[in-house]
């Protein structure tokens, strides 16, 4: 299957899954209106979906490092959709919480393996990975429109219709998985050089992603209110600012991959964070309509590195790409989101401007962390990361391995090992 077609199918499938990440918050007003849930109750529902999904993602990543599980793409998609679809049918808070948690687990199961599959299908193209990331961004942004179109017309009883994107996404990924299985079978006899994990660089990368998450989630939560409260502001202006923040993210996702195909990923991410520093400062301090320019620059600057950070994490941990994807896509994002309550507390005690001012430091910290990161060599796109991990472990147990546990030289990969590893593709 041509690379572009594979990436388009995976990107659309990614959108179908991430619809359910945005759907939970979009259902909140309907839960309050129809079931009289308190703000604390609906906050618990949102937390059950987002936090559980983000924390569980590294677990699925570790599992996919041990065994190839491409079936998680359709299964996770279906699970994510079914959970949201059923959440509107039961008036029981406990059941609603359980169904939303099931959806979060489905989303968590999908992402680490989909990041690995997309990396294989992209054949090392950073722009292709940018398009894959764009799919998720558009899916999240589309969720409010989809939920409103379905639920506003007939109430929560129509929530089963929300399973339609999941059905579509689960079907779209199947041709890609079949094509990759054929490619893996054809390449099963090739030699692979066991890779070495750069844990120190991965930790610094993860910290940079946390800083990015703090500023983006903080702005996503409060920028609409902040623009509305400024002199000359209005509810329309606040909504427009949030819209620009999300639209800039869509542009940044694609732009980051294209720039990384010309320059290396670390350089592109470093310059993006550098541009984000004055842009975030502009959001906080620049008066008048010029603030929308700052919002657009901030959004693009924070999203340009997004897909690049995923592939960098995979290259820093080449024997544990599932774990790398689970952490960069999930855990670090949830940790960054925990800062929002702190921002709200400071805003209640002082003002929103005072609470948002420390966010200027976040892209600066990401920039400093990226200054210490090397540009890793990308692994062969046809090589099996799981098979490479297995071979590295086997080489370390051989007498010819070096004292520090690394193999002394190139080792030929047993075709049966790769065939076993890729039997699910």
């Amino acid at each position: 299957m041509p690379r572009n077609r594979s990436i388009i199918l995976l990107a659309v499938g990614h959108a179908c899954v991430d619809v359910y990440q945005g759907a939970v918050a979009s259902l909140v007003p309907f839960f309050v209106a129809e079931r009289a849930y308190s703000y604390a109750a609906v906050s618990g529902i949102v937390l059950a979906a987002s936090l559980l999904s983000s924390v569980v993602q590294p677990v699925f990543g570790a599992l996919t490092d041990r065994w190839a599980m491409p079936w998680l793409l359709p299964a996770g998609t279906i699970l994510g959709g079914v959970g949201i679809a059923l959440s509107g049918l039961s008036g029981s808070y406990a059941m609603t919480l359980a169904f939303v948690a099931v959806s979060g687990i489905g989303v968590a199961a999908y992402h680490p393996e989909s990041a690995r599959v997309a990396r294989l299908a992209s054949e090392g193209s950073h722009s292709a990975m940018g398009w894959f990331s764009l799919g998720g961004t558009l899916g999240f942004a589309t969720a409010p429109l989809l939920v409103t179109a379905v639920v506003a017309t007939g109430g929560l009883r129509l929530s089963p219709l929300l399973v339609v994107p999941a059905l579509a996404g689960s079907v779209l990924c199947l041709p890609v998985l079949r094509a990759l299985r054929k490619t893996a079978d054809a390449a099963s006899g090739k030699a692979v050089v066991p890779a070495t994990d750069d844990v120190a660089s991965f930790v610094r990368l993860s910290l940079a992603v946390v800083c990015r998450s703090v500023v983006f989630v903080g702005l996503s939560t409060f920028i609409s209110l902040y623009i509305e409260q400024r002199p000359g502001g209005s509810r329309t202006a606040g909504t427009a600012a949030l819209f620009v923040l999300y639209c800039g993210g869509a542009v940044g996702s694609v732009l980051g991959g294209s720039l990384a195909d010309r320059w290396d990923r670390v350089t592109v991410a470093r310059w993006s964070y550098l541009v984000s520093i004055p842009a975030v400062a502009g959001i906080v301090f620049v008066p008048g309509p010029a603030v929308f320019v700052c919002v657009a620059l901030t959004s693009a600057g924070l999203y340009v590195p997004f897909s690049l950070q995923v592939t960098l994490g995979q290259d820093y941990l080449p024997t544990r790409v599932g774990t790398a994807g689970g952490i960069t896509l999930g855990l670090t994002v949830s940790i960054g989101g925990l800062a929002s309550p702190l921002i709200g507390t400071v805003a209640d005690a002082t003002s929103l401007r005072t609470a948002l001012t420390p966010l200027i430091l976040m892209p600066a910290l990401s920039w400093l962390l990226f200054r210490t990161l090397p540009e890793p060599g990308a692994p062969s796109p046809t090589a099996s990361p799981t098979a490479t991990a297995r071979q590295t472990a086997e080489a370390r147990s051989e007498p010819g391995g070096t004292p520090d546990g690394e193999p002394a030289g190139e080792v030929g990969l047993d075709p049966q090992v790769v065939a076993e590893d890729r039997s699910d593709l």
Side-chain angles (χ1 to χ4, degrees):
M1 179 183 293
R3 183 185 72 187
N4 289 345
R5 183 185 174 193
S6 295
I7 290 298
I8 289 173
L9 290 176
L10 289 173
V12 176
H14 193 188
C16 291
V17 172
D18 279 7
V19 158
Y20 300 109
Q21 290 204 85
V24 179
S26 303
L27 285 169
V28 164
F30 299 99
F31 287 143
V32 172
E34 291 193 27
R35 299 178 180 174
Y37 286 168
S38 66
Y39 292 137
V42 293
S43 297
I45 292 175
V46 174
L47 185 65
S50 59
L51 189 59
L52 177 64
S53 175
S54 298
V55 171
V56 171
Q57 277 192 46
V59 176
F60 281 103
L63 292 175
T64 60
D65 285 336
R66 189 177 181 93
W67 302 283
M69 298 180 179
W71 54 267
L72 283 177
L73 271 67
T77 303
I78 291 292
L79 201 61
V82 168
I84 293 298
L86 295 179
S87 67
L89 296 184
S90 173
S92 165
Y93 180 76
M95 291 300 295
T96 301
L97 201 64
F99 286 136
V100 168
V102 165
S103 177
I105 291 173
V107 172
Y110 171 88
H111 278 96
E113 185 70 354
S114 69
R116 182 183 67 85
V117 170
R119 188 73 187 278
L120 292 171
S122 70
E123 299 175 359
S125 169
H126 300 308
S127 60
M129 287 297 292
W131 284 104
F132 172 72
S133 296
L134 173 64
T137 303
L138 293 179
F140 187 87
T142 304
L145 302 177
L146 177 66
V147 170
T148 300
V150 172
V151 181
T153 56
L156 289 171
R157 62 184 179 84
L158 294 184
S159 65
L161 294 178
L162 295 175
V163 80
V164 172
L167 298 177
S170 64
V171 172
L172 289 173
C173 68
L174 297 179
V176 180
L177 298 182
R178 285 196 295 266
L180 287 179
R181 179 176 181 178
K182 293 178 181 178
T183 301
D185 289 343
S188 61
K190 295 182 179 180
V192 176
V193 179
T196 303
D197 291 337
D198 185 352
V199 177
S201 293
F202 181 78
V203 170
R204 293 197 296 272
L205 172 70
S206 298
L207 292 174
V209 178
V210 169
C211 293
R212 176 212 174 270
S213 176
V214 169
V215 63
F216 187 80
V217 175
L219 289 175
S220 299
T221 305
F222 295 106
I223 192 172
S224 183
L225 288 172
Y226 182 59
I227 298 299
E228 181 179 340
Q229 294 174 6
R230 284 160 47 119
S234 65
R235 179 168 297 180
T236 300
T239 302
L242 187 61
F243 178 76
V244 171
L245 186 69
Y246 287 150
C247 285
V251 174
S253 296
V254 176
L255 182 61
S258 299
L259 292 174
D261 281 338
R262 183 170 182 178
W263 295 285
D264 66 82
R265 292 165 292 178
V266 172
T267 298
V268 172
R270 186 186 303 151
W271 278 100
S272 297
Y273 283 125
L274 190 61
V275 170
S276 299
I277 299 170
V280 175
I283 292 176
V284 179
F285 296 111
V286 171
V291 70
F292 290 99
V293 177
C294 297
V295 174
L297 288 175
T298 296
S299 181
L302 294 177
Y303 261 99
V304 161
F306 188 74
S307 65
L308 308 183
Q309 291 167 160
V310 176
T311 58
L312 278 170
Q314 292 172 331
D315 289 347
Y316 288 140
L317 297 184
T319 68
R320 290 176 284 176
V321 294
T323 300
I327 291 176
T328 54
L329 285 171
L331 185 60
T332 50
V333 175
S334 68
I335 293 175
L338 295 178
S340 289
L342 178 60
I343 296 173
T345 301
V346 174
D348 287 335
T350 56
S351 67
L352 262 179
R353 170 173 284 190
T354 302
L356 294 178
T357 298
L359 295 183
I360 301 170
L361 296 176
M362 295 298 106
L365 292 175
S366 294
W367 174 73
L368 288 172
L369 288 164
F370 262 90
R371 284 180 58 85
T372 68
L373 292 177
E375 175 69 26
S380 170
T382 59
S384 163
T386 309
T388 302
R390 289 182 184 176
Q391 186 184 357
T392 301
E394 291 171 2
R396 287 175 178 171
S397 65
E398 292 293 330
T402 57
D404 61 358
E406 297 302 326
E410 182 173 322
V411 182
L413 196 63
D414 186 345
Q416 291 184 352
V417 174
V418 180
E420 176 188 354
D421 179 61
R422 284 313 200 196
S423 61
D424 290 327
L425 280 178

